[in-house]
Amino acid sequence: MRLLPNATARQALADLDVFVSRSAISVEISSLDVVLAASFIRRLDLNLRGPDAMHVAMASRLGATLFTLDAKLKACARKLGLSVG
């Protein structure tokens, strides 16, 4: 979106990399995630986009809490019984 000067954006990305390395685990997408995400996309009551459906599917498979600032994604995840932060 180019809202930040390049130097500030680079620093923000470096800070994100540090945060992720300390606080997150990497999880690979499984074929089950793809099948589950596709089923969520087909639910017209959810109106989920593909990437959002994949995040919900992975969180569902892992029994993880889904953290997002997207109100629509939160509502869909809650509707599917996920823990949302």
Side-chain angles (χ1 to χ4, degrees):
M1 294 174 56
R2 301 188 190 276
L3 297 177
L4 299 174
N6 284 346
T8 305
R10 279 196 228 31
Q11 185 60 54
L13 290 171
D15 292 345
L16 176 63
D17 290 341
V18 170
F19 170 78
V20 168
S21 71
R22 292 180 181 166
S23 306
I25 59 168
S26 179
V27 177
E28 293 197 21
I29 296 171
S30 76
S31 57
L32 176 61
D33 298 327
V34 175
V35 171
L36 192 53
S39 75
F40 294 157
I41 291 168
R42 285 173 168 70
R43 283 193 50 178
L44 302 180
D45 62 315
L46 297 176
N47 195 25
L48 275 174
R49 295 172 296 177
D52 289 345
M54 185 60 70
H55 286 110
V56 171
M58 292 177 74
S60 179
R61 173 177 57 92
L62 297 168
T65 299
L66 182 69
F67 285 89
T68 181
L69 297 176
D70 183 325
K72 179 181 154 191
L73 180 54
K74 278 185 182 183
C76 289
R78 283 189 179 116
K79 193 170 192 174
L80 292 165
L82 269 72
S83 173
V84 179

Coordinates of all heavy atoms in Angstrom, one line a residue:
M1 N 0.8 -1.2 0.0 CA 0.0 0.0 0.0 C 0.9 1.3 0.0 O 0.4 2.3 -0.2 CB -0.9 0.0 1.2 CG -2.0 -1.1 1.1 SD -3.0 -1.3 2.6 CE -3.7 0.3 2.7
R2 N 2.1 1.1 0.3 CA 3.1 2.2 0.3 C 2.7 3.4 1.2 O 2.8 4.5 0.9 CB 3.3 2.7 -1.1 CG 3.8 1.6 -2.1 CD 4.2 2.2 -3.4 NE 4.5 1.2 -4.4 CZ 5.6 0.6 -4.5 NH1 6.6 0.9 -3.8 NH2 5.8 -0.3 -5.4
L3 N 2.2 3.0 2.4 CA 1.8 4.0 3.4 C 3.0 4.4 4.3 O 2.9 5.4 5.0 CB 0.7 3.5 4.3 CG -0.6 3.2 3.5 CD1 -1.7 2.6 4.5 CD2 -1.2 4.5 2.9
L4 N 4.1 3.6 4.3 CA 5.2 3.9 5.1 C 6.4 4.1 4.2 O 6.6 3.5 3.1 CB 5.5 2.6 6.0 CG 4.5 2.2 7.0 CD1 4.9 0.9 7.6 CD2 4.3 3.3 8.0
P5 N 7.4 4.9 4.7 CA 8.6 5.1 4.0 C 9.3 3.7 3.9 O 9.2 2.9 4.8 CB 9.4 6.1 4.8 CG 8.4 6.8 5.7 CD 7.3 5.8 5.9
N6 N 10.1 3.5 2.9 CA 10.8 2.2 2.8 C 11.6 1.8 4.0 O 11.5 0.6 4.4 CB 11.7 2.2 1.6 CG 11.0 2.1 0.3 OD1 9.8 1.8 0.3 ND2 11.6 2.4 -0.8
A7 N 12.3 2.7 4.6 CA 13.1 2.3 5.8 C 12.2 1.9 6.9 O 12.5 0.9 7.6 CB 14.0 3.5 6.2
T8 N 11.1 2.6 7.1 CA 10.2 2.2 8.2 C 9.5 0.9 7.9 O 9.4 0.0 8.8 CB 9.1 3.3 8.4 OG1 9.8 4.6 8.6 CG2 8.2 3.0 9.5
A9 N 9.2 0.6 6.7 CA 8.6 -0.6 6.3 C 9.6 -1.8 6.5 O 9.2 -2.8 7.0 CB 8.1 -0.6 4.8
R10 N 10.8 -1.6 6.1 CA 11.8 -2.6 6.3 C 12.0 -3.0 7.8 O 12.1 -4.1 8.2 CB 13.2 -2.2 5.7 CG 13.3 -2.4 4.2 CD 14.7 -2.4 3.8 NE 15.2 -1.6 2.7 CZ 14.7 -0.5 2.1 NH1 13.7 0.1 2.7 NH2 15.2 0.1 1.1
Q11 N 12.0 -1.9 8.6 CA 12.1 -2.2 10.1 C 10.9 -2.9 10.6 O 11.0 -3.8 11.5 CB 12.3 -0.8 10.8 CG 12.6 -1.0 12.3 CD 13.8 -1.9 12.6 OE1 14.9 -1.6 12.1 NE2 13.6 -2.9 13.4
A12 N 9.7 -2.5 10.1 CA 8.5 -3.2 10.6 C 8.5 -4.7 10.2 O 8.2 -5.5 11.0 CB 7.3 -2.5 10.0
L13 N 9.0 -5.0 9.0 CA 9.1 -6.4 8.6 C 10.2 -7.1 9.4 O 10.0 -8.3 9.8 CB 9.4 -6.4 7.1 CG 8.3 -6.0 6.2 CD1 8.7 -5.9 4.7 CD2 7.1 -7.0 6.3
A14 N 11.3 -6.5 9.7 CA 12.3 -7.1 10.5 C 11.7 -7.4 11.9 O 12.0 -8.4 12.5 CB 13.5 -6.2 10.6
D15 N 11.0 -6.4 12.5 CA 10.4 -6.6 13.8 C 9.4 -7.8 13.8 O 9.3 -8.6 14.7 CB 9.6 -5.4 14.3 CG 10.6 -4.2 14.6 OD1 11.8 -4.4 14.7 OD2 10.1 -3.1 14.7
L16 N 8.6 -7.9 12.7 CA 7.7 -9.0 12.5 C 8.4 -10.3 12.5 O 8.0 -11.3 13.1 CB 6.8 -8.8 11.2 CG 5.9 -10.0 10.9 CD1 4.8 -10.1 12.0 CD2 5.2 -9.7 9.6
D17 N 9.5 -10.4 11.7 CA 10.3 -11.6 11.7 C 10.8 -12.0 13.0 O 10.8 -13.2 13.4 CB 11.5 -11.4 10.7 CG 11.2 -11.3 9.3 OD1 10.0 -11.7 8.9 OD2 12.0 -10.8 8.5
V18 N 11.2 -11.1 13.9 CA 11.7 -11.4 15.2 C 10.5 -11.9 16.0 O 10.6 -13.0 16.7 CB 12.3 -10.2 15.9 CG1 12.6 -10.4 17.4 CG2 13.6 -9.8 15.2
F19 N 9.4 -11.3 16.0 CA 8.2 -11.7 16.7 C 7.8 -13.1 16.3 O 7.6 -14.0 17.1 CB 7.0 -10.7 16.5 CG 5.7 -11.3 17.0 CD1 5.4 -11.2 18.3 CD2 4.8 -11.8 16.1 CE1 4.2 -11.7 18.8 CE2 3.6 -12.3 16.6 CZ 3.3 -12.2 18.0
V20 N 7.8 -13.4 15.0 CA 7.4 -14.7 14.5 C 8.3 -15.8 15.0 O 8.0 -16.9 15.4 CB 7.2 -14.7 13.0 CG1 7.1 -16.1 12.4 CG2 6.0 -13.9 12.6
S21 N 9.6 -15.5 14.9 CA 10.6 -16.5 15.3 C 10.5 -16.8 16.8 O 10.9 -17.9 17.1 CB 12.0 -16.0 14.9 OG 12.4 -14.9 15.8
R22 N 10.1 -15.9 17.6 CA 10.0 -16.1 19.0 C 8.6 -16.6 19.5 O 8.5 -17.3 20.5 CB 10.2 -14.8 19.8 CG 11.6 -14.3 19.7 CD 11.8 -13.0 20.4 NE 13.2 -12.6 20.3 CZ 13.6 -11.3 20.6 NH1 12.7 -10.5 21.1 NH2 14.8 -11.0 20.5
S23 N 7.6 -16.4 18.7 CA 6.2 -16.6 19.2 C 5.4 -17.5 18.4 O 4.2 -17.8 18.8 CB 5.5 -15.2 19.3 OG 6.2 -14.3 20.0
A24 N 5.8 -18.0 17.2 CA 5.0 -18.7 16.3 C 5.6 -20.1 15.9 O 6.9 -20.2 16.0 CB 4.6 -17.9 15.1
I25 N 4.8 -21.0 15.5 CA 5.3 -22.2 14.9 C 4.9 -22.3 13.5 O 3.8 -21.8 13.2 CB 4.9 -23.5 15.7 CG1 3.3 -23.6 15.8 CG2 5.4 -23.5 17.1 CD1 2.8 -24.9 16.2
S26 N 5.7 -22.9 12.7 CA 5.3 -23.1 11.3 C 4.5 -24.4 11.1 O 4.9 -25.4 11.6 CB 6.6 -23.1 10.4 OG 6.3 -23.3 9.1
V27 N 3.4 -24.3 10.4 CA 2.6 -25.4 10.2 C 2.3 -25.6 8.7 O 2.0 -24.6 8.0 CB 1.2 -25.3 10.9 CG1 0.3 -26.4 10.6 CG2 1.4 -25.1 12.4
E28 N 2.5 -26.8 8.2 CA 2.3 -27.0 6.8 C 0.8 -27.3 6.5 O 0.1 -27.9 7.3 CB 3.1 -28.2 6.3 CG 4.6 -27.9 6.4 CD 5.4 -28.9 5.5 OE1 4.9 -29.5 4.6 OE2 6.6 -29.0 5.8
I29 N 0.4 -26.9 5.3 CA -1.0 -27.1 4.9 C -1.1 -28.6 4.5 O -0.2 -29.2 3.8 CB -1.3 -26.3 3.6 CG1 -1.3 -24.8 4.0 CG2 -2.6 -26.7 3.0 CD1 -1.4 -23.9 2.8
S30 N -2.2 -29.2 4.9 CA -2.4 -30.6 4.6 C -3.5 -30.7 3.6 O -4.3 -29.8 3.4 CB -2.7 -31.4 5.9 OG -4.1 -31.2 6.3
S31 N -3.6 -31.9 3.0 CA -4.7 -32.1 2.0 C -6.1 -32.0 2.7 O -7.0 -31.5 2.1 CB -4.6 -33.5 1.3 OG -4.5 -34.5 2.3
L32 N -6.1 -32.4 4.0 CA -7.4 -32.2 4.8 C -7.8 -30.8 4.9 O -8.9 -30.4 4.8 CB -7.2 -32.8 6.1 CG -8.4 -32.7 7.1 CD1 -9.6 -33.4 6.6 CD2 -8.0 -33.2 8.5
D33 N -6.8 -29.9 5.0 CA -7.1 -28.5 5.1 C -7.7 -28.0 3.8 O -8.7 -27.2 3.8 CB -5.8 -27.6 5.3 CG -5.1 -28.0 6.7 OD1 -5.8 -28.3 7.6 OD2 -3.9 -27.9 6.7
V34 N -7.2 -28.4 2.7 CA -7.7 -28.0 1.4 C -9.2 -28.5 1.2 O -10.1 -27.7 0.8 CB -6.9 -28.5 0.2 CG1 -7.5 -28.2 -1.1 CG2 -5.4 -28.0 0.3
V35 N -9.4 -29.7 1.6 CA -10.8 -30.3 1.5 C -11.8 -29.5 2.4 O -12.9 -29.1 2.1 CB -10.8 -31.8 1.8 CG1 -12.2 -32.3 2.0 CG2 -10.0 -32.5 0.8
L36 N -11.3 -29.2 3.7 CA -12.1 -28.5 4.6 C -12.4 -27.1 4.2 O -13.5 -26.6 4.3 CB -11.5 -28.6 6.0 CG -12.3 -28.2 7.2 CD1 -13.7 -28.9 7.3 CD2 -11.5 -28.4 8.5
A37 N -11.3 -26.4 3.7 CA -11.5 -25.1 3.2 C -12.5 -25.0 2.1 O -13.3 -24.1 2.0 CB -10.1 -24.5 2.8
A38 N -12.4 -26.0 1.2 CA -13.3 -26.0 0.0 C -14.8 -26.2 0.5 O -15.7 -25.5 0.0 CB -13.0 -27.1 -0.9
S39 N -15.0 -27.0 1.6 CA -16.3 -27.1 2.1 C -16.8 -25.8 2.8 O -18.0 -25.5 2.7 CB -16.4 -28.3 3.1 OG -15.8 -28.0 4.4
F40 N -15.9 -25.1 3.4 CA -16.3 -23.8 4.0 C -16.7 -22.8 2.9 O -17.6 -22.0 3.0 CB -15.2 -23.2 4.8 CG -14.9 -24.0 6.1 CD1 -13.6 -23.9 6.7 CD2 -15.8 -24.8 6.7 CE1 -13.3 -24.6 7.8 CE2 -15.5 -25.6 7.8 CZ -14.2 -25.4 8.4
I41 N -15.9 -22.8 1.8 CA -16.2 -21.9 0.7 C -17.6 -22.1 0.1 O -18.3 -21.2 -0.3 CB -15.1 -22.0 -0.4 CG1 -13.8 -21.4 0.1 CG2 -15.5 -21.3 -1.7 CD1 -12.6 -21.7 -0.7
R42 N -18.0 -23.4 0.1 CA -19.3 -23.8 -0.5 C -20.4 -23.5 0.4 O -21.6 -23.5 0.0 CB -19.2 -25.3 -0.8 CG -18.4 -25.6 -2.1 CD -18.3 -27.1 -2.3 NE -17.8 -27.3 -3.6 CZ -16.5 -27.1 -4.1 NH1 -15.7 -26.5 -3.2 NH2 -16.1 -27.4 -5.3
R43 N -20.2 -23.2 1.7 CA -21.2 -22.8 2.6 C -21.6 -21.3 2.4 O -20.8 -20.4 2.7 CB -20.8 -22.9 4.1 CG -20.8 -24.4 4.5 CD -20.7 -24.6 5.9 NE -21.6 -23.8 6.7 CZ -21.6 -23.8 8.0 NH1 -20.9 -24.6 8.7 NH2 -22.5 -23.0 8.7
L44 N -22.7 -21.1 1.7 CA -23.1 -19.7 1.3 C -23.4 -18.9 2.5 O -23.4 -17.6 2.4 CB -24.2 -19.8 0.3 CG -23.9 -20.6 -1.0 CD1 -25.1 -20.6 -1.9 CD2 -22.7 -20.1 -1.7
D45 N -23.7 -19.5 3.6 CA -24.0 -18.7 4.8 C -22.7 -18.1 5.4 O -22.8 -17.1 6.2 CB -24.7 -19.5 5.9 CG -23.9 -20.7 6.4 OD1 -23.3 -21.4 5.5 OD2 -23.8 -20.9 7.6
L46 N -21.5 -18.6 5.0 CA -20.3 -18.0 5.6 C -19.7 -17.0 4.7 O -19.1 -16.0 5.2 CB -19.3 -19.2 5.7 CG -19.6 -20.3 6.7 CD1 -18.5 -21.4 6.7 CD2 -19.8 -19.7 8.1
N47 N -19.8 -17.1 3.4 CA -19.2 -16.1 2.4 C -17.7 -15.9 2.7 O -17.3 -14.8 2.7 CB -20.0 -14.8 2.5 CG -19.7 -14.0 1.3 OD1 -19.3 -14.4 0.2 ND2 -19.9 -12.7 1.5
L48 N -17.0 -17.0 2.9 CA -15.6 -16.9 3.1 C -14.8 -16.9 1.8 O -15.1 -17.6 0.8 CB -15.1 -18.1 3.9 CG -15.2 -18.1 5.4 CD1 -14.8 -19.4 6.0 CD2 -14.4 -17.0 6.0
R49 N -13.7 -16.1 1.8 CA -12.8 -16.1 0.6 C -11.8 -17.3 0.8 O -11.6 -17.8 2.0 CB -12.0 -14.8 0.6 CG -12.9 -13.6 0.3 CD -12.2 -12.3 0.4 NE -11.8 -12.2 1.8 CZ -11.0 -11.2 2.3 NH1 -10.6 -10.3 1.5 NH2 -10.7 -11.2 3.6
G50 N -11.2 -17.7 -0.2 CA -10.3 -18.9 -0.2 C -9.2 -18.8 0.9 O -9.1 -19.7 1.7
P51 N -8.4 -17.7 0.9 CA -7.3 -17.6 2.0 C -7.9 -17.7 3.4 O -7.3 -18.3 4.3 CB -6.6 -16.3 1.7 CG -6.9 -16.1 0.2 CD -8.3 -16.6 0.0
D52 N -9.0 -17.0 3.6 CA -9.6 -17.0 4.9 C -10.1 -18.4 5.3 O -10.0 -18.9 6.4 CB -10.8 -16.0 5.0 CG -10.3 -14.6 5.0 OD1 -9.1 -14.3 5.3 OD2 -11.2 -13.7 4.8
A53 N -10.7 -19.1 4.3 CA -11.2 -20.4 4.5 C -10.1 -21.4 4.9 O -10.2 -22.3 5.7 CB -12.0 -21.0 3.3
M54 N -8.9 -21.2 4.3 CA -7.7 -22.0 4.5 C -7.3 -21.8 6.0 O -6.9 -22.7 6.7 CB -6.6 -21.7 3.5 CG -5.4 -22.6 3.7 SD -5.8 -24.4 3.5 CE -6.1 -24.4 1.7
H55 N -7.2 -20.5 6.4 CA -6.8 -20.2 7.8 C -7.8 -20.9 8.8 O -7.3 -21.4 9.8 CB -6.8 -18.7 8.0 CG -5.6 -18.1 7.4 ND1 -5.7 -17.2 6.3 CD2 -4.3 -18.2 7.7 CE1 -4.5 -16.8 6.0 NE2 -3.6 -17.4 6.8
V56 N -9.1 -20.8 8.5 CA -10.1 -21.4 9.4 C -9.9 -22.9 9.4 O -9.9 -23.5 10.5 CB -11.5 -21.0 9.0 CG1 -12.5 -21.7 9.8 CG2 -11.7 -19.5 9.2
A57 N -9.7 -23.5 8.3 CA -9.5 -24.9 8.2 C -8.3 -25.4 9.0 O -8.4 -26.4 9.7 CB -9.4 -25.4 6.7
M58 N -7.2 -24.7 8.8 CA -6.0 -25.1 9.5 C -6.1 -24.9 11.1 O -5.7 -25.8 11.8 CB -4.8 -24.3 9.0 CG -4.4 -24.6 7.6 SD -3.1 -23.6 7.0 CE -1.7 -24.3 7.9
A59 N -6.7 -23.8 11.5 CA -7.0 -23.6 12.9 C -7.9 -24.7 13.4 O -7.7 -25.2 14.6 CB -7.6 -22.2 13.1
S60 N -8.9 -25.0 12.7 CA -9.8 -26.1 13.1 C -9.1 -27.4 13.3 O -9.3 -28.1 14.3 CB -10.9 -26.2 12.0 OG -11.8 -27.3 12.4
R61 N -8.3 -27.8 12.3 CA -7.5 -29.1 12.3 C -6.6 -29.1 13.5 O -6.5 -30.1 14.2 CB -6.7 -29.3 11.1 CG -5.8 -30.5 11.1 CD -5.1 -30.7 9.8 NE -4.3 -29.6 9.3 CZ -3.0 -29.4 9.6 NH1 -2.3 -30.3 10.4 NH2 -2.3 -28.4 9.1
L62 N -6.0 -28.0 13.8 CA -5.0 -27.9 14.9 C -5.6 -27.7 16.3 O -4.9 -27.7 17.3 CB -4.0 -26.8 14.6 CG -3.1 -27.0 13.3 CD1 -2.4 -25.8 13.0 CD2 -2.2 -28.2 13.5
G63 N -6.9 -27.3 16.3 CA -7.5 -27.0 17.6 C -6.9 -25.7 18.1 O -6.8 -25.5 19.3
A64 N -6.5 -24.8 17.2 CA -5.9 -23.6 17.6 C -6.9 -22.4 17.7 O -7.9 -22.4 17.1 CB -4.8 -23.2 16.5
T65 N -6.5 -21.4 18.4 CA -7.3 -20.2 18.5 C -6.9 -19.3 17.2 O -5.7 -19.2 16.9 CB -7.0 -19.4 19.7 OG1 -7.3 -20.2 20.9 CG2 -7.7 -18.0 19.8
L66 N -7.9 -18.8 16.5 CA -7.6 -18.0 15.4 C -7.6 -16.5 15.8 O -8.6 -16.0 16.3 CB -8.7 -18.2 14.3 CG -8.6 -17.5 13.0 CD1 -7.4 -18.0 12.2 CD2 -9.9 -17.6 12.2
F67 N -6.5 -15.9 15.6 CA -6.4 -14.5 15.9 C -6.5 -13.7 14.6 O -5.8 -13.9 13.7 CB -5.0 -14.2 16.6 CG -5.0 -14.6 18.0 CD1 -4.6 -15.9 18.3 CD2 -5.4 -13.8 19.0 CE1 -4.6 -16.4 19.6 CE2 -5.4 -14.2 20.3 CZ -5.0 -15.5 20.7
T68 N -7.4 -12.7 14.6 CA -7.6 -11.8 13.4 C -8.2 -10.5 13.9 O -8.9 -10.5 14.9 CB -8.4 -12.5 12.4 OG1 -8.6 -11.7 11.2 CG2 -9.8 -12.9 12.9
L69 N -8.0 -9.5 13.1 CA -8.7 -8.2 13.3 C -9.9 -8.1 12.4 O -10.7 -7.1 12.4 CB -7.7 -7.1 13.0 CG -6.5 -7.0 14.0 CD1 -5.6 -5.9 13.6 CD2 -7.0 -6.8 15.4
D70 N -10.1 -9.1 11.5 CA -11.1 -9.1 10.5 C -12.4 -9.6 11.1 O -12.6 -10.7 11.5 CB -10.7 -10.0 9.3 CG -11.7 -10.0 8.2 OD1 -12.9 -9.9 8.4 OD2 -11.3 -10.2 7.0
A71 N -13.4 -8.6 11.3 CA -14.6 -8.9 12.0 C -15.4 -10.0 11.3 O -16.0 -10.9 11.9 CB -15.5 -7.7 12.1
K72 N -15.4 -10.0 9.9 CA -16.2 -11.0 9.2 C -15.5 -12.4 9.4 O -16.2 -13.4 9.6 CB -16.2 -10.7 7.7 CG -16.9 -11.7 6.8 CD -16.8 -11.2 5.4 CE -16.9 -12.4 4.5 NZ -16.6 -12.1 3.1
L73 N -14.2 -12.5 9.4 CA -13.5 -13.7 9.6 C -13.8 -14.3 11.0 O -14.0 -15.5 11.2 CB -12.0 -13.6 9.3 CG -11.2 -14.8 9.5 CD1 -11.7 -16.0 8.7 CD2 -9.7 -14.5 9.1
K74 N -13.8 -13.4 12.0 CA -14.1 -13.8 13.4 C -15.5 -14.4 13.4 O -15.7 -15.4 14.1 CB -14.0 -12.6 14.3 CG -12.6 -12.2 14.7 CD -12.7 -11.1 15.8 CE -11.4 -10.6 16.2 NZ -11.4 -9.6 17.2
A75 N -16.4 -13.7 12.8 CA -17.8 -14.2 12.9 C -17.9 -15.6 12.3 O -18.6 -16.5 12.8 CB -18.8 -13.2 12.2
C76 N -17.3 -15.8 11.1 CA -17.4 -17.1 10.4 C -16.7 -18.1 11.3 O -17.2 -19.3 11.4 CB -16.7 -17.0 9.1 SG -17.6 -16.0 7.9
A77 N -15.5 -17.8 11.8 CA -14.8 -18.8 12.7 C -15.7 -19.2 13.9 O -15.8 -20.4 14.2 CB -13.5 -18.2 13.1
R78 N -16.3 -18.2 14.5 CA -17.1 -18.5 15.7 C -18.3 -19.4 15.2 O -18.7 -20.3 16.0 CB -17.6 -17.2 16.3 CG -16.6 -16.5 17.1 CD -17.2 -15.4 17.9 NE -16.1 -14.7 18.7 CZ -15.7 -13.5 18.6 NH1 -16.3 -12.7 17.7 NH2 -14.8 -13.0 19.4
K79 N -18.9 -19.1 14.1 CA -20.0 -19.8 13.6 C -19.6 -21.3 13.4 O -20.5 -22.2 13.6 CB -20.5 -19.2 12.3 CG -21.9 -19.8 11.8 CD -22.4 -18.9 10.6 CE -23.8 -19.2 10.4 NZ -24.4 -18.4 9.4
L80 N -18.4 -21.5 13.1 CA -17.9 -22.9 12.9 C -17.3 -23.5 14.2 O -16.8 -24.6 14.2 CB -16.8 -22.9 11.8 CG -17.3 -22.6 10.4 CD1 -16.1 -22.2 9.5 CD2 -18.1 -23.7 9.9
G81 N -17.5 -22.8 15.3 CA -17.1 -23.4 16.6 C -15.6 -23.2 17.0 O -15.2 -23.8 17.9
L82 N -14.9 -22.3 16.3 CA -13.5 -22.1 16.6 C -13.4 -21.1 17.7 O -14.2 -20.2 17.9 CB -12.8 -21.6 15.4 CG -12.1 -22.6 14.5 CD1 -13.2 -23.4 13.7 CD2 -11.1 -22.0 13.6
S83 N -12.3 -21.2 18.4 CA -11.9 -20.2 19.4 C -11.3 -19.1 18.7 O -10.4 -19.3 17.8 CB -10.9 -20.9 20.4 OG -10.4 -19.9 21.2
V84 N -11.7 -17.9 19.0 CA -11.2 -16.7 18.2 C -10.7 -15.7 19.2 O -11.3 -15.4 20.3 CB -12.4 -16.1 17.4 CG1 -12.0 -14.8 16.7 CG2 -13.0 -17.1 16.5
G85 N -9.5 -15.1 18.9 CA -8.9 -14.1 19.7 C -8.9 -12.7 19.0 O -9.2 -12.6 17.9

